[in-house]
Amino acid sequence: MPEAAANRYFSIPVFVLFALVSSLACAATKEARPSPGVEGIPPAGTALSAAVPQGVVGTASSTPSTPRTASSTASSVGNDSAAKDPPVTVPSVKGRTKKDSLALVKAVKAGLENTDWPVKTPPPLPGSILPSRRIVAFYGNPLSKRMGILGELPPDKMLERFDKEIAEWQKADPSTPVQPALHLIAVVAQGSPGRDGKYRLRMADTLVEKVASWAATRNALLFLDVQVGQSTVKEELPRLIPFLKRPNVMLGIDPEFSMKPRMDRKLGVLVTDKPGDRIGTMSSADVNYAIGMLSDLVTKNNLPPKVLVVHRFTHNMLTGTKKIRLDPRVQLVINMDGWGQPWLKYDSYRAYVESYPIQFTGFKLFYHNDTKKGDPILTPSEVLLLNPKPHYIQYQ
């Protein structure tokens, strides 16, 4: 396994769990353009014109078993026009490359040119969190140090670091209040079938309550994230309803570990892969089911609107996006979930989030995987240059 690959094998003692190796986000295709020259790009900290050379920066492996990173296959958007496009000032951050600067400017330019942003929806209902606040979340599972920051540190140290991140985001954008959140993987995909053959493990209610108690100390939201394995969204979500009835509990669903039957071309039969063997997928029907269930809960229990986070870092992770039926009782976030160097993350955001306007956007930051090549983790001010600006930030 190459050193730059994201290691998604995680162990949870007692339950003999591991969260799994996933594939590189989207392979480079024959249509991928050659890398543009970067000699003419000013250093970080200077104003860059949004009119930059068009093309793909770098290439990606097509090997399905390569663990996932942010994608480098983002296609160019629109024509250059220095007269129309405003300058973009790239923050001066030690360790950033000219390639990073180019990718950032291209991502900003694409967002400015996409007239579907901001998405036109009815005004938010009373009690809605977005877009008036920005959610900043710590992600993971307390039973494993390798599934994210939520379990990597002892609770007191984790919350101390959480407070610092919240303060940094508030400082970066004083006009948008930060809403803290803890994002718990409540259903964890596994490499073994388990007793019912579903390749997933449901966390005990006591664990959910423990993380809920941590969230309460910070007036934070609690997200329950679901990796269905060979189960389904319809099968996994109902057991979480008692928690989702609470006003501060929200939902996340992860297509990466949703393993649906597919036709094996060599064998000529339908097969269902184990989580981690391939990148999984969810459809608009899965998302619509989650939206419908949450909408009903909001109405029946007189709750404020819910937030639903859907992770994405390839095209096929989420299919039929135009068929997603928005509901004012549910605020939908598509979260850019790829890791890697800054330019890879910017390209992935442009290709899989900005290019598919649905409602709100999110951006994930990895304390370890984003920094494997020596790059400092992206700062709030850098992420906030993106257009549309993410309203959901997740740290793993």
Side-chain angles (χ1 to χ4, degrees), residues 116 202 259 277 321 336 353 360 385:
D116 289 332
R202 297 167 171 172
M259 314 314 296
D277 284 353
T321 55
M336 199 296 287
V353 179
F360 298 103
L385 282 175

Side-chain angles (χ1 to χ4, degrees), residues 44-109:
T46 59
L48 301 180
S49 169
V52 296
Q54 296 298 303
V56 176
V57 267
T59 58
S61 166
S62 61
T63 305
S65 60
T66 303
R68 64 107 149 135
T69 62
S71 170
S72 61
T73 62
S75 59
S76 303
V77 180
N79 297 319
D80 297 334
S81 176
K84 294 188 299 182
D85 296 323
V88 177
T89 300
V90 177
S92 179
V93 177
K94 185 178 180 181
R96 296 291 177 251
T97 67
K98 292 180 179 180
K99 186 180 284 190
D100 296 333
S101 297
L102 176 66
L104 174 56
V105 173
K106 290 174 70 176
V108 173
K109 181 173 184 278

Side-chain angles (χ1 to χ4, degrees), residues 138-144 147-151 183-186 395-396:
F138 267 18
Y139 169 97
N141 187 301
L143 299 181
S144 172
M147 294 183 73
I149 187 64
L150 194 60
H183 197 121
L184 168 68
I185 310 171
Y395 285 89
Q396 179 168 334

Side-chain angles (χ1 to χ4, degrees), residues 95-390:
R96 296 291 177 251
T97 67
K98 292 180 179 180
K99 186 180 284 190
D100 296 333
S101 297
L102 176 66
L104 174 56
V105 173
K106 290 174 70 176
V108 173
K109 181 173 184 278
L112 291 171
E113 290 183 343
N114 193 334
T115 57
D116 289 332
W117 292 107
V119 176
K120 298 172 181 62
T121 59
L125 295 176
S128 296
I129 294 172
L130 307 175
S132 61
R133 286 176 276 173
R134 175 170 290 107
I135 300 170
V136 176
F138 267 18
Y139 169 97
N141 187 301
L143 299 181
S144 172
K145 293 183 178 181
R146 300 182 64 187
M147 294 183 73
I149 187 64
L150 194 60
E152 182 179 341
L153 301 174
D156 57 338
K157 297 296 183 183
M158 180 272 293
L159 291 171
E160 182 180 333
R161 189 168 188 177
F162 186 47
D163 292 340
K164 291 180 180 177
E165 296 291 6
I166 297 298
E168 287 297 315
W169 278 93
Q170 195 60 76
K171 180 180 178 181
D173 183 8
S175 64
T176 306
V178 173
Q179 171 59 63
L182 298 182
H183 197 121
L184 168 68
I185 310 171
V187 180
V188 184
Q190 297 190 93
S192 56
R195 286 181 295 181
D196 58 2
K198 299 292 185 179
Y199 288 86
R200 58 90 181 95
L201 184 66
R202 297 167 171 172
M203 296 295 99
D205 290 355
T206 51
L207 182 68
V208 178
E209 295 291 5
K210 177 186 289 186
V211 180
S213 69
W214 297 346
T217 66
R218 297 302 190 270
N219 194 27
L221 303 173
L222 173 63
F223 280 83
L224 301 180
D225 205 83
V226 177
Q227 302 173 350
V228 300
Q230 290 187 8
S231 182
T232 64
V233 169
K234 289 184 179 181
E235 187 175 349
E236 297 305 315
L237 296 193
R239 74 172 287 271
L240 299 178
I241 285 177
F243 296 109
L244 292 168
K245 285 182 178 179
R246 302 177 187 179
N248 69 323
V249 178
M250 309 298 171
L251 181 64
I253 53 178
D254 194 347
E256 180 181 2
F257 301 107
S258 172
M259 314 314 296
K260 297 185 185 299
R262 64 176 181 86
M263 178 60 67
D264 187 300
R265 294 179 181 178
K266 291 183 178 180
L267 300 176
V269 297
L270 283 175
V271 298
T272 304
D273 299 289
K274 296 188 299 182
D277 284 353
R278 310 173 60 89
I279 297 173
T281 184
M282 285 185 180
S283 67
S284 57
D286 295 310
V287 178
N288 287 337
Y289 175 83
I291 290 174
M293 189 197 77
L294 292 173
S295 298
D296 288 344
L297 286 177
V298 168
T299 298
K300 293 177 181 178
N301 297 278
N302 194 28
L303 300 171
K306 295 289 184 181
V307 178
L308 172 62
V309 171
V310 181
H311 304 287
R312 188 179 198 184
F313 59 89
T314 73
H315 288 291
N316 292 334
M317 278 179 68
L318 183 58
T319 62
T321 55
K322 291 184 178 180
K323 296 180 181 179
I324 292 175
R325 298 189 297 270
L326 296 180
D327 188 298
R329 294 167 290 182
V330 179
Q331 300 193 293
L332 181 61
V333 174
I334 305 300
N335 184 39
M336 199 296 287
D337 194 21
W339 64 262
Q341 294 175 277
W343 64 273
L344 284 168
K345 296 176 74 74
Y346 292 142
D347 277 359
S348 191
Y349 185 81
R350 178 161 60 100
Y352 310 122
V353 179
E354 181 276 323
S355 294
Y356 296 90
I358 300 178
Q359 191 171 19
F360 298 103
T361 71
F363 200 90
K364 191 167 185 176
L365 297 164
F366 294 77
Y367 282 116
H368 301 296
N369 288 335
D370 284 353
T371 59
K372 281 189 172 184
K373 289 186 176 292
D375 304 273
I377 195 167
L378 288 172
T379 66
S381 60
E382 289 177 295
V383 176
L384 289 172
L385 282 175
L386 292 168
N387 192 317
K389 289 179 171 55

